[in-house]
Structures are given as C-alpha cells and as structure tokens.
Amino acid sequence: MAYWLLKSEPDVFGWSHLTAKGPSGEEWSGVRNYQARNNMRSMQIGDKGFFYHSRQGLEIVGILEVCATSHPDSTTDDPRWDCVDVRAVQPLPRAVSLDQIKATPELAEMVLVKNSRLSVQPVTPAEWDLICQLGELS
DNA sequence: GCCAACGTTGGC
DNA sequence: GCCAACGTTGGC
C-alpha cells in the first residue's frame, strides 16, 4: 500500500466537503497536471492519503483512502485527464501545519516542501508515520 | 493581493 | 526541438 498527499483549497473543496460525501466518497477531479495525474493512475484501492488545505489553512487535516482506481475525469471531455475516487477515513486529532513540517528536519525532503505546486504527491512510509505522530493519531 | 516558481503552449 | 510568452498555483 502506498501513501499520498492531496491538496485542495478548503473554500473550494475542503475536508468537511469530503466527510459530507460519506463512505461512497468523491471524484478527485479537476487535476490538470500530468505528474499529479500519473500519481493518481498508480494509486490502488485502499491507498491512504493526507488531505492538505492549501492557500488557506496550510495544514494537513485528515486522512483519506482511495476507493476507486483511475478513471476518466467526469468534469472534462478531454481524454487526457483521469482521476480516482477518495473517501474520508478520519480527521487528524491535531492538524499538522506546513510550518511544523518545515521545522521538522526529517520532513524537509517532502514533496510538499520541495515542490509546493504538485497537488497530488507521494509520501514515504517514514514521512507518513511521523506526520501521524505529530497529528496525535493513535 | 502579490508575485515567484513552475508547467504548458505554440511559433519558429 | 527550442524557448518566449502565457497561465496557474500557492505561500506569503
């Protein structure tokens, strides 16, 4: 199982929007970047991801999981763009901020820090575990 | 709201 | 195939 980090602006589609969708989840649509799309294409059912609030919040607020593998993005007719479906698993008891991540040497190599513009990005198991600890997830 | 960084487009 | 112009993202 792989780990990911997915970004969204909370006023456009935030964590509360995803939790409202319940167990059937929601398409992670609208991605128009090849790297991000390729990351989604390699996702498997059950892969876990952090939900990050960009622009506003600037923190990891919850954990989601992939509940449908890559399929055509229903928000466009352009056949280049695919997306997965994701559903909320649980919120982090304590949100982990970008500041916190930047201040943690072990997390300095995260794509979130190195390439802040990539909206769907891989997370290493070590990074995952550490952020879960910072998020006070038992 | 600004703007630096990045990605994409399209003329040559 | 290069690269200038343009558009978008996202931290600040």
Side-chain angles (χ1 to χ4, degrees):
Chain A
M1 185 185 68
Y3 298 111
W4 309 94
L5 183 146
L6 286 69
K7 289 194 276 192
S8 184
E9 299 183 38
D11 54 339
V12 178
F13 188 85
W15 174 251
S16 60
H17 295 96
L18 186 61
T19 56
K21 295 289 177 182
S24 56
E26 175 75 339
E27 271 194 323
W28 199 259
S29 58
V31 171
R32 302 290 182 265
N33 171 283
Y34 293 108
Q35 244 186 303
R37 182 208 62 186
N38 292 344
N39 285 334
M40 286 198 285
R41 283 184 175 174
S42 64
M43 289 181 185
Q44 301 293 321
I45 300 272
D47 278 6
K48 297 289 193 295
F50 290 128
F51 193 115
Y52 176 80
H53 280 166
S54 63
R55 296 274 298 175
Q56 293 169 44
L58 307 188
E59 57 189 8
I60 294 170
V61 293
I63 290 178
L64 51 75
E65 74 178 353
V66 176
C67 57
T69 52
S70 184
H71 56 78
D73 184 332
S74 70
T75 64
T76 178
D77 290 330
D78 190 329
R80 290 178 297 171
W81 305 119
D82 297 333
C83 64
V84 296
D85 292 2
V86 297
R87 65 177 170 224
V89 175
Q90 60 185 327
L92 287 186
R94 183 183 294 266
V96 178
S97 70
L98 181 61
D99 285 345
Q100 240 182 312
I101 289 168
K102 285 182 170 175
T104 306
E106 295 90 336
L107 300 176
E109 296 300 315
M110 281 190 74
V111 181
L112 187 68
V113 178
K114 291 284 177 177
N115 179 6
S116 62
R117 295 188 34 154
L118 184 59
S119 63
V120 178
Q121 50 182 265
V123 172
T124 70
E127 291 163 350
W128 182 271
D129 290 343
L130 185 47
I131 289 170
C132 286
Q133 283 177 40
L134 293 174
E136 297 182 359
L137 201 65
S138 49

